Amino acid sequence: MPNILSFPMPAEHALALIRQAVSEGRVRLLSPPAGGDWYRVVTHRQVALCLKEGEMVAAPEIDGHGNVTCWLERFGAGLTVRLHLVLKKNQNDEWEILVIEVENQL
Amino acid sequence: MNAYHYVQCGLDNVWLINGFEIIETEYGASVRIDRADELDATIAAYLTEKSAPLTGQEFRYLRQQLDMSQKRIGELMGKEAQTVALWEKGGALNRDVDFLIRHIYRQTVLNERRTYIEMVDRLNHLDRAENAERLEFREMTGRWIRAD
């Protein structure tokens, strides 16, 4: 039986999928925002920059829903922003990002 | 379709009439906003032209659009980071601060003035360098230098 998707997904592969999804606008945020009022401290701008430029801080894993999940981190605007993301296919069979947590620290 | 309250932008009073899609996921309801970066820039451009004084929240929005810390924007205005934090928690800004943040944003982003872009980039670079936990040095032509 062919190996359809190799796990664990290599970090470079996941990062490439994230960057492509971002460049093509396939990004979702939980609404209402989960994980507290993060938008009182950082704005959507820092989330977007983290998706575009952030570094992966842990290897991708499979979560309880069977999706690929990972963490990205970037320092900007005086804060370190960490995003917990899920990579999943959308209805058009394209990879899409869902931001499920936004953390920040001074 | 109901308007969407775009709280994630960092302002309390922004609603989207269209240009968004909400779907349920196994993690909860989620929103996708069309060309979100362009929307954020449009909001910022509006703020630089609004006739009423900027609020602290709007100041924070423009600062974060520039990706600048309170410390660096404070340095540009001759103030401490703590003072900037107080502005951002407060109501209307004083006129000088209001003018300066609008001016810096306009010159950097809207007018794309090179000197402003370089200044903001340089200050943001300093912030990142200060934040870096790992210090990297390179030996080059007989002397050690800090690697970027």
Side-chain angles (χ1 to χ4, degrees):
Chain A
M1 191 167 170
N3 185 6
I4 297 168
L5 192 57
S6 62
F7 288 118
M9 182 183 277
E12 306 77 41
H13 183 46
L15 201 54
L17 292 176
I18 291 167
R19 303 291 199 236
Q20 184 177 1
V22 170
S23 71
E24 294 171 4
R26 294 192 301 275
V27 177
R28 295 189 159 275
L29 303 168
L30 286 185
S31 181
D37 294 347
W38 56 262
Y39 49 86
R40 301 277 175 213
V41 182
V42 297
T43 65
H44 175 263
R45 169 82 169 151
Q46 277 63 51
V47 173
L49 288 170
C50 188
L51 290 171
K52 286 178 192 166
E53 301 171 1
E55 293 178 8
M56 197 168 285
V57 289
E61 295 177 340
I62 306 299
D63 71 4
H65 298 288
N67 295 314
V68 179
T69 178
C70 63
W71 287 86
L72 286 188
E73 183 177 292
R74 176 182 180 272
F75 179 83
L79 297 161
T80 299
V81 175
R82 280 167 63 95
L83 303 181
H84 189 192
L85 314 175
V86 171
L87 264 167
K88 53 187 293 188
K89 292 281 187 89
N90 64 15
Q91 290 173 327
N92 301 322
D93 204 34
E94 300 162 315
W95 287 100
E96 189 171 75
I97 298 165
L98 174 63
V99 179
I100 56 174
E101 282 182 80
V102 180
E103 294 181 354
N104 62 80
Q105 58 188 65
L106 282 170
Chain B
M1 184 191 281
N2 293 328
Y4 179 70
H5 192 186
Y6 181 33
V7 292
Q8 295 93 334
C9 74
L11 299 170
D12 287 334
N13 58 342
V14 176
W15 298 78
L16 308 182
I17 306 302
N18 58 12
F20 64 91
E21 175 197 52
I22 295 178
I23 62 164
E24 277 299 326
T25 73
E26 54 268 59
Y27 305 89
S30 70
V31 64
R32 184 181 59 75
I33 295 166
D34 296 342
R35 299 189 304 284
D37 291 353
E38 193 181 312
L39 171 63
D40 289 345
T42 302
I43 295 167
Y46 164 76
L47 291 180
T48 66
E49 301 202 340
K50 71 176 273 208
S51 53
L54 292 176
T55 64
Q57 197 178 59
E58 289 165 340
F59 175 95
R60 180 181 71 117
Y61 184 85
L62 291 177
R63 172 179 67 78
Q64 294 194 326
Q65 285 295 303
L66 293 165
D67 205 32
M68 293 189 81
S69 64
Q70 291 173 334
K71 178 182 175 183
R72 298 301 174 193
I73 203 82
E75 282 173 0
L76 280 180
M77 298 179 176
K79 300 291 181 186
E80 299 288 330
Q82 291 90 330
T83 306
V84 175
L86 286 175
W87 293 340
E88 294 185 357
K89 285 179 184 156
L93 298 173
N94 78 45
R95 275 172 44 185
D96 293 347
V97 173
D98 182 305
F99 170 81
L100 275 172
I101 189 68
R102 293 187 203 222
H103 178 74
I104 293 167
Y105 184 84
R106 272 198 213 111
Q107 296 296 343
T108 307
V109 179
L110 302 180
N111 300 334
E112 297 180 350
R113 291 283 163 82
R114 204 162 130 187
T115 48
Y116 280 81
I117 292 170
E118 286 174 358
M119 174 184 70
V120 169
D121 281 351
R122 177 72 186 146
L123 290 170
N124 287 346
H125 175 79
L126 280 174
D127 251 356
R128 284 192 291 275
E130 274 184 16
N131 184 61
E133 290 174 8
R134 176 171 151 154
L135 301 175
E136 293 184 332
F137 295 86
R138 175 179 292 129
E139 199 271 344
M140 199 158 71
T141 59
R143 66 191 184 103
W144 283 96
I145 59 165
R146 177 92 183 270
D148 282 331

